């Protein structure tokens, strides 16, 4: 057997077997097979042909012993014809003293090394031919022996076991990675759904989506573009993005617009060549590849999620990436749709409540002030018709008293519309003044107020003060107008996290489920909802209790921005004057007559 004895060959085979079955990478197994086969059989050249799915030709052909320069000179690798094809047709060992003399030999192409002796053995995995091991040109010009054939067969069997083990390991690793990938995706989707249900700010929800989506698909950059008429606007971004937010591109002239209109995701290998809009216009000037996914909600085209680049060595975006980003696109579309729906409902509720309040004050002015002024007109006209100066004097003096009374009533209405004390002296003083006016109307009130001495002085705190005042005002108005109560209790307690309000009366009570808008509950509920709080009204056969909880430092996004109060005014310095904000939409959107997103 030349320089390698049988004992050494056996030890070599055992060592090769241990090394092969411990390897977990298929490619590494193939590399080791070729090296071990050359050493064990003393062959100068070794090759391994991998069969294609039809098992009629070679799909791959790996070699050892032929340098790269010779490979290039030879040209195309063999596909399994000639002597190589014999083992494909009949998967059993084949030894030939001179391969060029075999009747099925095709000969060698130009620049091919000289080869005479040949040994081939099949590589069978679970009874199915998988490939063939070819060995040529035994050293010292000798022929391959029966012992070489048996060693090659043993090595092929070790290789079959090693390849199967490596394939099983790789498959299990892929399944494990897919499960981990799925778990991460589910966790991220769960966190996004929680954010959609609990986070009032659309901007913060979209920020969460782009950050989680970018991490899961391994993108260097991720953008959310929302449709604005015939344009797409970048409203959120994460990663290596510069100055993207606020940028707009046309739907008609962009690849993103095509994805949106066709409702079909698109993977792009060359962003600079395939995108109709230069990547730099989207804030990603160095983008190489892209993945664009449409955002649709119930058939409506809302926008596009655009991911760019998977890193230097991570390749292009895959079908799995497309599927996962599609899930995030659905979450983003839901967030936008839910936010718009909530804003529309709140706007409708606010306008309805404002209209109800206007009707209420119109009734106040008609039933009391206008009727009183009409009575004064009749009395003065009668006095003018009478010739008795003494009678006229009595009538005029009575008219003066009535006018003073109506002036007081008008001042009360104006004070209720916008209490100057709330701005001048603070919340506690304004509420105390409100309670005094209700006491003057004949209602006995016990109060327990525990509010900060300096009130809530920032922008959000000012909104909170207005809400607290309006809640107490509305509750007491209901008591005076509807409850027929003799006494009431007003309790306000401020902690570090919330303000608790409770107004209780000993009146006739009512059925809360059948309450009409005239009780003012709709306006109160809308205002408290805008502030992120909750209302509980309890009433039975006698007495009513209104309990309100308002969060501190966690007001909704809508409460942060200037908005319409229940009288059509804006809770801002300009809104302190009646009629300062004639546009009922602008306070809720920040732009007259146009609904915008909080981005």
């Amino acid at each position: 057997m030349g320089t390698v004895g049988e004992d050494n060959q056996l030890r070599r085979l055992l060592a090769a077997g241990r090394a092969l079955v411990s390897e977990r990478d298929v490619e590494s197994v193939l590399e080791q097979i070729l090296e071990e086969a050359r050493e064990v059989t003393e062959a100068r050249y070794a090759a391994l042909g991998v069969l294609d799915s039809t098992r009629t030709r070679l799909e791959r052909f790996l070699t050892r012993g032929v340098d790269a320069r010779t490979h290039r000179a030879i040209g195309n690798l063999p596909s399994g014809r000639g002597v190589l094809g014999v083992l494909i047709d009949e998967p059993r060992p084949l030894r030939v003293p001179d391969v060029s003399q075999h009747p099925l030999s095709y000969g060698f192409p130009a620049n091919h090394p000289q080869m005479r002796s040949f040994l081939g053995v099949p590589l069978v995995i679970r009874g199915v031919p998988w490939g063939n091991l070819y060995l040529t040109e035994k050293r010292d010009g000798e022929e391959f022996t029966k012992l070489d054939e048996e060693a090659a067969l043993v090595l092929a069997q070790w290789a079959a076991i090693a390849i199967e083990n490596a394939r099983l390991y790789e498959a299990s690793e892929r399944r494990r990675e897919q499960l981990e990938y799925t778990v991460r995706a589910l966790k991220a989707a769960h966190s996004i759904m929680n954010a959609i249900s609990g986070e009032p700010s659309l901007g913060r929800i979209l920020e969460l989506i782009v950050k989680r989506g970018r991490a899961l698909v391994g993108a260097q950059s991720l953008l959310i573009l929302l449709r604005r008429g015939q344009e797409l606007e970048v409203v959120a971004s994460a990663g290596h993005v510069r100055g993207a937010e606020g940028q707009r591109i046309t739907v008609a002239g962009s690849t993103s617009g095509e994805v949106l209109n066709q409702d079909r995701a698109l993977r792009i290998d060359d962003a600079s060549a395939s995108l109709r809009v230069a990547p730099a216009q989207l804030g990603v000037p160095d983008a190489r590849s892209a993945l664009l996914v449409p955002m649709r909600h119930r058939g409506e085209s809302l926008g596009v999620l655009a991911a760019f680049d998977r890193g230097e060595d991570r390749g292009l975006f895959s079908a799995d990436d497309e599927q996962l980003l599609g899930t995030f696109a659905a979450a983003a579309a839901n967030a936008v749709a839910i936010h718009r729906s909530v804003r529309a409902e709140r706007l409708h509720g606010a306008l309805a409540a404002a209209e109800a309040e206007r009707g209420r004050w119109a009734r106040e002015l008609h039933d009391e002030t206008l009727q009183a002024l009409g009575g004064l007109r009749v009395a003065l006209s009668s006095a003018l018709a009478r010739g008795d100066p003494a009678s006229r004097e009595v009538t005029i003096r009575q008219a003066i008293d009535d006018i003073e009374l109506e002036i007081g009533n008008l001042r009360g209405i104006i004070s209720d519309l916008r209490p100057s004390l709330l701005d001048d002296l603070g919340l506690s003083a304004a509420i105390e003044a409100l309670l005094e006016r209700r006491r003057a109307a004949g209602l006995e009130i016990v109060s327990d107020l525990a509010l900060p001495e300096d009130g809530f002085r920032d922008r959000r705190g000012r909104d909170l003060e207005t809400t607290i005042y309006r809640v107490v005002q509305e509750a007491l108005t209901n008591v005076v107008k509807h409850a027929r109560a003799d006494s009431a209790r007003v309790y306000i307690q401020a902690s570090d996290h919330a303000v608790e309000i409770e107004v209780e009366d000993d009146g006739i009570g009512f059925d809360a489920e059948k309450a009409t808008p005239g009780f003012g509950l709709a306006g109160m509920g809308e205002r408290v909802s805008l502030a992120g709080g909750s209302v509980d009204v309890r009433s039975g056969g006698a007495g009513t209790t209104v309990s309100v909880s308002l969060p501190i430092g966690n007001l909704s996004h809508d409460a942060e921005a200037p908005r319409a109060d229940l009288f059509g005014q804006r809770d801002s310095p300009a809104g302190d004057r009646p009629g300062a904000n004639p546009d009922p939409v602008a306070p809720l959107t920040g732009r007259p007559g146009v609904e915008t997103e909080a981005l």
Side-chain angles (χ1 to χ4, degrees), residues 14 133 200 204 251 258 304 308 311 340 365 437 439 471 519 531 545 565 586:
L14 291 173
L133 178 62
R204 286 192 282 270
V251 173
E258 178 184 339
V304 173
F308 296 92
R340 287 179 175 175
L365 291 171
R437 289 198 300 275
R439 291 187 181 108
V471 166
F519 282 91
T545 302
D565 66 12

Side-chain angles (χ1 to χ4, degrees), residues 368-369 372-373 376 397-413 440:
E368 297 182 7
T369 305
L373 291 175
L376 283 172
R397 289 187 182 278
Q398 182 61 48
I400 291 172
D401 292 340
D402 290 344
I403 289 172
E404 288 180 352
L405 177 62
E406 292 310 316
I407 289 174
N409 289 337
L410 286 172
R411 282 175 176 168
I413 291 174

Side-chain angles (χ1 to χ4, degrees), residues 202-212 224 235-238:
L202 177 63
R204 286 192 282 270
I205 294 173
L206 297 183
E207 180 182 357
L208 174 64
I209 290 173
V210 292
K211 288 181 177 179
R212 292 293 179 88
I224 294 180
V235 297
S237 63

Side-chain angles (χ1 to χ4, degrees), residues 370-415:
L370 290 180
Q371 289 188 15
L373 291 175
L376 283 172
R377 180 179 181 279
V378 171
L380 291 174
S381 296
S382 299
L384 287 174
R386 291 193 293 269
D388 184 7
S391 177
R392 285 202 302 269
E393 181 179 354
V394 171
T395 301
I396 292 172
R397 289 187 182 278
Q398 182 61 48
I400 291 172
D401 292 340
D402 290 344
I403 289 172
E404 288 180 352
L405 177 62
E406 292 310 316
I407 289 174
N409 289 337
L410 286 172
R411 282 175 176 168
I413 291 174
I414 293 170
S415 180

Side-chain angles (χ1 to χ4, degrees), residues 411-424:
R411 282 175 176 168
I413 291 174
I414 293 170
S415 180
D416 283 345
L417 284 172
R418 183 67 193 185
S420 60
L421 288 177
L422 189 60
D423 296 321
D424 298 338

Side-chain angles (χ1 to χ4, degrees), residues 1 6 78 108 285 370 410 466 529 538 554 563 567 594:
M1 162 130 200
E6 292 184 23
F108 296 104
L370 290 180
L410 286 172
T466 301
S529 175
R538 301 184 302 278
N554 190 29
R563 63 175 185 274
F567 311 100
V594 179

